[in-house]
Amino acid sequence: MTAKPSSQSELGAFLKARRAELTPATVGLPEDGTVRRVPGLRRDEVARLATISVDYYTRIEQGRLRASATVLGSLVRALRLDEGQQAYLYELAGKTLTGRRHRPAQRVRPSIQRMLDRLDHSPAIVFGRYYDILAWNAAAAALYQDFSRLTAAERNYTRLLFLDPASRDLFVDWEEAARTSAATLRLETAGNPDDPRLAALVGELTVRSPEFRNWWNDRVVSNASYGQKRYRHPVVGPLTLDCDTWISPDDPDQTLMVMTAEPGGAAEEGLRILASWSADDETPLPDREESTSPSDRRGS
């Protein structure tokens, strides 16, 4: 793995954010009595704890130097990083944590995709581990966004909820949806505590979303399988849909989610309008606010 330039700058921001959370007392350093212009540890204190020079650490934080695996390990200990933060640090640095295996990529059977495509007016998505979006139909793309425009790493339901402004605006009850998503993700950590994919996802969300960080630390878990969701869609307006989920019989890590509307109601008509928009190549859905690259969402 090789760290990208954008990852280097993100790594520096990550280190700066982590040292801002600590005080000399929490890491066993004596207070020197000076007034601190910024919260948390200073660069020289982090360098002292990591047993590296101040100049060396400064260049890492400024994105001018790539840290070795040995130095990363020292920074993990110096900054008291938890498992998710540690995985995210290594991911940004383009290093691989030893002793961990990546689980094989999940695949959706062709027959499942055919079933999704036949659900013309019902948005449907197949989720994999950790709410990764594995497959969807045209109605789901019309309701949420065109997932094919995203990279595989970006096609994660929880990630979109917390980091994508358009996804946040879509949900009337965004806080409830986001809390439930974080709680479901927390439940999955019990069975997969050492999965680097999960650790990296949690690490990124913890760093970039204050709401996720707070709710994750509450350690609430959930396995909700049905309920109602309310949307404010930019094309058809308010939609209240019933949400049901089923676990795949041949892969317990795959879940089918289908959204339906009460017959004869405004929501059903809204889904029909969305279906007609998505089916008409001459009248494509208007572009929604897009933020499909990590660099575009730095400030979210």
Side-chain angles (χ1 to χ4, degrees):
M1 296 175 65
T2 301
K4 299 178 182 178
S6 59
S7 297
Q8 287 294 105
S9 60
E10 180 69 16
L11 186 147
F14 175 66
L15 291 174
K16 187 175 181 179
R18 299 287 67 75
R19 66 180 173 88
E21 295 175 341
L22 301 173
T23 65
T26 59
V27 296
L29 291 177
E31 292 280 2
D32 57 12
T34 60
V35 177
R36 294 175 177 266
R37 293 178 298 175
V38 294
L41 297 178
R42 295 190 297 256
R43 285 173 177 168
D44 63 290
E45 291 170 328
V46 175
R48 192 190 323 169
L49 291 168
T51 63
I52 58 178
S53 72
V54 178
D55 178 66
Y56 191 88
Y57 175 74
T58 299
R59 285 187 288 159
I60 293 173
E61 192 174 284
Q62 292 177 343
R64 297 187 290 121
L65 180 69
R66 292 179 180 176
S68 66
T70 301
V71 170
L72 290 175
S74 297
L75 292 174
V76 166
R77 292 186 293 272
L79 296 171
R80 307 295 198 267
L81 302 187
D82 62 27
E83 185 174 308
Q85 294 168 336
Q86 179 181 356
Y88 188 53
L89 176 67
Y90 275 75
E91 177 99 355
L92 292 174
K95 305 293 183 182
T96 302
L97 276 170
T98 59
R100 295 184 175 184
R101 293 182 182 177
H102 285 275
R103 301 172 74 180
Q106 293 180 284
R107 297 287 184 268
V108 173
R109 287 187 284 109
S111 59
I112 299 297
Q113 184 64 64
R114 288 197 297 271
M115 180 183 69
L116 297 182
D117 293 338
R118 289 183 179 275
L119 297 173
D120 296 338
H121 301 148
S122 296
I125 298 174
V126 175
F127 296 116
R129 290 185 290 268
Y130 321 134
Y131 267 141
D132 285 339
I133 298 170
L134 303 181
W136 59 93
N137 63 2
L143 175 62
Y144 291 100
Q145 63 178 287
D146 185 357
F147 300 120
S148 66
R149 296 184 179 184
L150 307 178
T151 66
E154 292 171 327
R155 284 197 296 269
N156 178 274
Y157 185 76
T158 304
R159 190 179 189 279
L160 289 171
L161 269 177
F162 282 96
L163 302 184
D164 179 55
S167 296
R168 181 184 289 246
D169 292 342
L170 179 65
F171 284 83
V172 174
D173 307 306
W174 176 84
E175 181 173 333
E176 179 183 349
R179 277 182 177 272
T180 300
S181 182
T184 304
L185 194 63
R186 164 67 77 174
L187 186 63
E188 296 208 30
T189 63
N192 307 287
D194 298 322
D195 191 329
R197 166 77 179 102
L198 175 60
L201 175 61
V202 171
E204 180 184 17
L205 291 173
T206 299
V207 170
R208 297 180 58 190
S209 171
E211 297 98 336
F212 181 88
R213 180 165 59 250
N214 292 335
W215 298 335
W216 186 258
N217 290 336
D218 289 341
R219 288 176 166 76
V220 176
V221 298
S222 172
N223 62 349
S225 57
Y226 64 93
Q228 275 194 339
K229 295 183 184 294
R230 297 193 300 154
Y231 304 91
R232 57 171 77 86
H233 197 276
V235 173
V236 297
L239 291 171
T240 298
L241 304 177
D242 291 315
C243 172
D244 292 277
T245 63
W246 294 269
I247 297 176
S248 170
D250 57 351
D251 184 351
D253 287 332
Q254 289 190 25
T255 302
L256 170 65
M257 180 182 78
V258 179
M259 315 293 295
T260 57
E262 284 283 347
E268 183 183 47
E269 179 61 21
L271 290 181
R272 291 186 181 278
I273 293 172
L274 284 179
S276 67
W277 274 84
S278 61
D280 187 354
D281 292 335
E282 299 300 320
T283 319
L285 280 167
D287 286 339
R288 297 170 55 198
E289 180 183 356
E290 291 181 12
S291 182
T292 58
S293 69
S295 59
D296 290 339
R297 287 195 291 268
R298 292 294 180 220
S300 61

